Amino acid sequence: MTRTDLTATAKRWVPALEWLPNYRKTDLRGDLIAGITVAMMLIPQAMSYALLAGLPPYIGLYAAVLPLLVYAFFGTSRQLAVGPVAMVALLVASGVSGLAELGSERYIALAIGLSLLVGIMQFGMGVFRLGFLTNFMSHPVISGFTSAAALIIGFSQLKHIVGLQLPNTENIALTFWNTITQWTDINPMALTIGLGGIVLLLIIRRINPMLPGAMIAVVLSTVIVWLFDLDVNAGLSVVGAVPAGFPELSAPDVSLGDLRDLLPIALTIAFVGFIESIAVAKKIAQEKGYEVDPNKELVGLGLANIVGAFSKAMPVTGGFSRTAVNKNAGANTGLASMITAVLIGISLLLFTPLFYYIPNAILGSVIMVAVFGLIDTHEVKHLWQVKRDDLAMLGVTFAATLVLGVKTGIFLAVGLSMLWFVVKTTRPHYAILGRLPGTMVYRNIERRADAETTPGVLALRFDAQFYYGNVTFLKDTLKKAEANMTTPLRAVVLDASAVNQLDSSADTALHELLQDYRNRGIQLLFASVKGPVMDVMQRSGFAEKLGQENFYLTTHEAVEAASD
């Protein structure tokens, strides 16, 4: 292999080799500002999301250093801010809590092992180019799942806001009930700091979304706790001692049996994490005028999680809110993420004693404000006006996730998306066509009252690929249309302009239709048959059996021939 080939291969697997050698000085200012801004946002978020996952806060900080550096080299998005996110944190807690006691050494080891398993899965999906699988998750279903999960995540932080020892549950009603029944034990100082943090964060967001609201709230509350010794005098729960420096690089302390037990939740996190990441990455790439490669994104996220597992990090992915801040702050390349990682690394080396007095209540308020912004009321309004059957899918997913939990909800969301896809392809749209007066144009007679049909001729357009799943539907549709005709049927024109594929079952059905129509003295004609469909018809002998004289370029030509 020549040096040129090696360079091309390296660039294909390491996208940073494309932009680093050609880095423009004009991009540095934006990357520097974005890197600093996101670091100030990520430090409190990383600790908050670790807490949400049932892990010590420093595990979240570990997840905000090496994984960011790795993704910056191997990812294709220039603005995606990788790190701990609320959705993945909740899934970690949901999946690992059934295997070990929350916060125990074994729990931490399993969570780190989960990072390794998630990384291997995502890396494998990227290498084998399976990024297309996310296309089966419809946007309404994702929106319903995300909104419900946001509510579950938000209310899971109620225990920190009120300072109560509440059981870990995804049942919002149960969380409310436990809080109400223990209202006399609520810690007034935790409630004051928690609610005050929420109000402060909302005010800062309203004044200027670019301001590091989370960092401002954390610093203010930490100074207050330190000044008045509220952890002692008011029994306020704080982060406590955070180990200084970086952890020793080592393989996760888990067995093969542990990895087997973690497989279901790892698969869920790998899938959900990638969906969240690719959704925001694609949106911003479209705004910026470039493209992201889903398969390379999987490789980048996979390697970030694998390396993270060896540095005792929780699973990571791209986050909605941080990515938006990264973009708005001026990020132009992956250097912004590198700067963020370096700054958090410096914080781990020098500033961990300052983290001791951070109140858990303020971290809970950071999570609440962040995740409640993910509740998508705009999509509900949009679907109510545009597509109410999709709104029903959103509603079912939302309700099921709230009632059954996040793990069950995501699998239900995937299943519903698949089922809806099957339903739409097995019962596709079709149109009985009529000619617009004075033209050679044919349109759906249900939409155009002036469209005129030809007596005895049924012209029908089938708007989907023709395969085994909708064979029966086409036959039934033709029978129904024939039964509704006011004159005896003598010719059928099938407009195949929207048919892209034809499988063997559908081809067999066409042979049967042709034989049935010929036995009844009815002519069958085709219009606008595409090349791939014609190839199948020719190989199967259908084209020869029908006769080339019964294939036409346009519906008008076919109807005219049938009329003659």
Side-chain angles (χ1 to χ4, degrees), residues 386-409:
V386 178
K387 196 76 172 174
R388 294 189 182 180
D389 51 352
D390 283 347
L391 178 60
M393 294 289 290
L394 185 154
V396 170
T397 307
F398 178 83
T401 303
L402 278 182
V403 173
L404 303 176
V406 174
K407 279 192 300 183
T408 306

Side-chain angles (χ1 to χ4, degrees), residues 92-234:
V92 170
S94 177
V96 182
S97 60
L99 303 175
E101 184 181 350
L102 210 67
S104 65
E105 288 297 320
R106 174 165 166 75
Y107 183 94
I108 295 172
L110 289 175
I112 295 169
L114 189 58
S115 295
L116 178 63
L117 204 52
V118 169
I120 291 172
M121 286 180 175
Q122 290 179 329
F123 180 80
M125 289 171 67
V127 169
F128 291 103
R129 307 188 67 80
L130 299 180
F132 71 91
L133 291 176
T134 56
N135 295 334
F136 289 101
M137 284 288 284
S138 69
H139 187 267
V141 168
I142 294 174
S143 177
F145 168 72
T146 304
S147 297
L151 282 173
I152 294 173
I153 293 169
F155 284 104
S156 72
Q157 297 306 293
L158 193 59
K159 60 184 178 183
H160 299 302
I161 301 292
V162 298
L164 292 175
Q165 294 294 324
L166 300 177
N168 289 301
T169 176
E170 295 180 6
N171 189 318
I172 293 176
L174 185 59
T175 300
F176 264 121
W177 176 251
N178 287 328
T179 303
I180 292 170
T181 55
Q182 300 179 54
W183 71 271
T184 55
D185 297 325
I186 289 176
N187 186 310
M189 189 54 63
L191 184 61
T192 301
I193 290 178
L195 294 179
I198 292 173
V199 173
L200 178 61
L201 288 166
L202 292 176
I203 291 174
I204 292 174
R205 178 185 290 181
R206 189 173 185 85
I207 294 172
N208 186 354
M210 290 300 300
L211 291 174
M215 179 61 78
I216 294 171
V218 167
V219 170
L220 284 177
S221 60
T222 303
V223 169
I224 292 172
V225 172
W226 173 71
L227 282 175
F228 298 100
D229 287 328
L230 295 180
D231 57 321
V232 177
N233 297 332

Side-chain angles (χ1 to χ4, degrees), residues 421-432:
F421 174 78
V422 171
V423 168
K424 285 184 175 179
T425 57
T426 54
R427 300 184 63 82
H429 179 266
Y430 68 91
I432 297 174

